[in-house]
Amino acid sequence: MNINWYPGHMKKTKESIKKNLSLVDIVYEVIDARIPFSSQNPDIDGILGKKPRLIILNKSDLANKEANKKWQDYFKNKGISSVIVNSAKNKGLEKIIDLSYMLTEEKIKRLAKKGIKNRPIRAMIVGVPNVGKSTLINSLSKRKGTKVGNKPGVTRANQWIKIKGDLELLDTPGILWPKFEDKEVGLNLAFTGAIKDELLDVENLAIKLVERLNSISKSFIEERYNILVGHKAPYDIMLEIGKRRGCFIKGGEINFTKTSYIVLDEFRKGLIGKITLEFPN
Ligand code: GTP
């Protein structure tokens, strides 16, 4: 992963997030809409406890539209609100704001009864690496936001960004570790670019991706690369893609590494299609 997670580091991260949790009324848990299960932290329920939570299905523009809805229903059945967002293009942000008011309504009313009025609603973002936490902070703050100064009584490093009306966001997200013990999860994170390619065997990864895409629908590869998939092995499909894209090395052999980067890059950019890799049970 981008960060080396070792038990001591995980413990420190958890503690620092818990400390910040005490400052906020609601948590935005950002996950990748293409891999909602794999991009969730394994301990998230325990970390957040009873704190109101809003799941942000980010990068929804790269995922299958119907699958996005299915995931939203899945979370709804678990009693968790979620929003379908494309933070790179500022889509879905309004809903985040509306739901933040709804989910914190009771607490704000309780405070008002105690005489604490006009207290802003405070939120923080958490998520595993690469899910789009910084992008979301930027798009939420660019729209209406202005940075507000340090609050007395709050750690000096914390900056609050005024989002809209009386909604404020902590400017630093809580970075969580993924479920890295699970092989399938590791693959999904690698497919979507959450793990640096330098750490991976890109050729093997591309073969696995082709295999996975074909298991969802053969039309993805067929239409993008204009080849017939049939019952061909993923390795042979890769060779055909290389041929189509003119990836040759001396002697007319296929440049497999170059072909692998092309397939991975085009998948990550959504050029092969809007593809969700995981579905709710
Ligand atoms: P870390 O700093 O590693 O924890 O990552 P992060 O969670 O802050 O993710 P970041 O905002 O850096 O986004 C990672 C990549 O995803 C960037 O290339 C973003 O441009 C891209 N990205 C973020 N949100 C979206 C989105 O909604 N749609 C698309 N297509 N790309 C997005």
Side-chain angles (χ1 to χ4, degrees):
M1 302 302 305
N2 314 28
I3 293 171
N4 287 321
W5 294 100
Y6 49 91
H9 185 184
M10 280 167 23
K11 191 165 168 265
K12 238 172 111 186
T13 306
K14 206 187 234 175
E15 275 164 13
S16 120
I17 288 182
K18 282 203 163 158
K19 210 156 83 195
N20 283 336
L21 269 181
S22 63
L23 306 174
V24 300
D25 307 303
I26 180 166
V27 175
Y28 303 151
E29 182 198 354
V30 185
I31 59 177
D32 185 325
R34 293 167 297 176
I35 49 166
F37 174 74
S38 296
S39 59
Q40 263 197 321
N41 170 272
D43 302 334
I44 191 72
D45 292 339
I47 294 171
L48 300 188
K50 290 209 171 102
K51 189 70 68 179
R53 177 197 334 190
L54 178 60
I55 288 190
I56 315 272
L57 284 157
N58 193 38
K59 306 197 186 185
S60 62
D61 54 309
L62 301 174
N64 177 285
K65 228 176 169 176
E66 281 151 34
N68 289 341
K69 295 237 165 68
K70 278 191 185 149
W71 275 107
Q72 202 168 30
D73 288 343
Y74 168 81
F75 288 119
K76 195 175 166 192
N77 287 337
K78 285 179 82 177
I80 307 171
S81 304
S82 64
V83 268
I84 296 167
V85 168
N86 168 0
S87 39
K89 288 268 156 68
N90 291 349
K91 291 201 177 128
L93 305 189
E94 226 30 77
K95 277 221 174 100
I96 297 180
I97 296 168
D98 293 345
L99 278 165
S100 301
Y101 283 115
M102 262 177 60
L103 294 167
T104 55
E105 203 179 2
E106 265 179 42
K107 181 171 179 184
I108 296 299
K109 272 189 191 154
R110 251 193 344 259
L111 289 173
K113 265 192 197 154
K114 285 187 196 160
I116 306 166
K117 294 199 173 133
N118 302 325
R119 146 94 152 62
I121 297 169
R122 297 195 187 119
M124 75 177 281
I125 287 176
V126 301
V128 304
N130 199 249
V131 285
K133 299 178 295 300
S134 307
T135 311
L136 180 63
I137 291 180
N138 285 340
S139 41
L140 277 170
S141 57
K142 246 186 254 146
R143 288 190 90 218
K144 305 244 155 66
T146 42
K147 284 215 168 183
V148 295
N150 290 335
K151 299 255 168 211
V154 170
T155 325
R156 232 184 271 152
N158 287 331
Q159 292 277 329
W160 295 89
I161 302 162
K162 209 171 163 78
I163 301 302
K164 188 184 180 182
D166 43 10
L167 184 64
E168 291 181 3
L169 178 69
L170 192 63
D171 77 341
T172 38
I175 303 173
L176 290 163
W177 59 95
K179 305 168 189 148
F180 46 66
E181 308 84 9
D182 186 325
K183 249 189 181 169
E184 273 305 304
V185 167
L187 266 182
N188 286 336
L189 291 167
F191 290 151
T192 53
I195 301 172
K196 280 186 191 155
D197 285 334
E198 299 89 84
L199 304 175
L200 302 162
D201 171 352
V202 285
E203 288 88 357
N204 204 10
L205 187 64
I207 289 174
K208 287 235 164 20
L209 177 61
V210 166
E211 194 176 11
R212 175 72 72 83
L213 294 179
N214 286 339
S215 75
I216 302 170
S217 168
K218 287 180 181 166
S219 65
F220 294 132
I221 297 286
E222 291 191 333
E223 282 168 23
R224 178 71 192 167
Y225 301 104
N226 197 19
I227 56 176
L228 207 63
V229 166
H231 294 291
K232 288 177 199 141
Y235 176 83
D236 295 324
I237 294 168
M238 283 291 292
L239 291 179
E240 278 201 46
I241 294 173
K243 211 186 282 173
R244 283 260 172 239
R245 289 299 172 93
C247 300
F248 296 108
I249 40 177
K250 269 185 282 165
E253 250 180 74
I254 297 294
N255 184 336
F256 213 90
T257 309
K258 194 172 170 197
T259 310
S260 302
Y261 276 115
I262 288 176
V263 171
L264 288 168
D265 189 52
E266 294 190 353
F267 168 73
R268 290 168 186 167
K269 286 187 176 144
L271 297 173
I272 301 182
K274 292 177 183 296
I275 306 170
T276 298
L277 295 177
E278 286 178 329
F279 298 86
N281 290 336

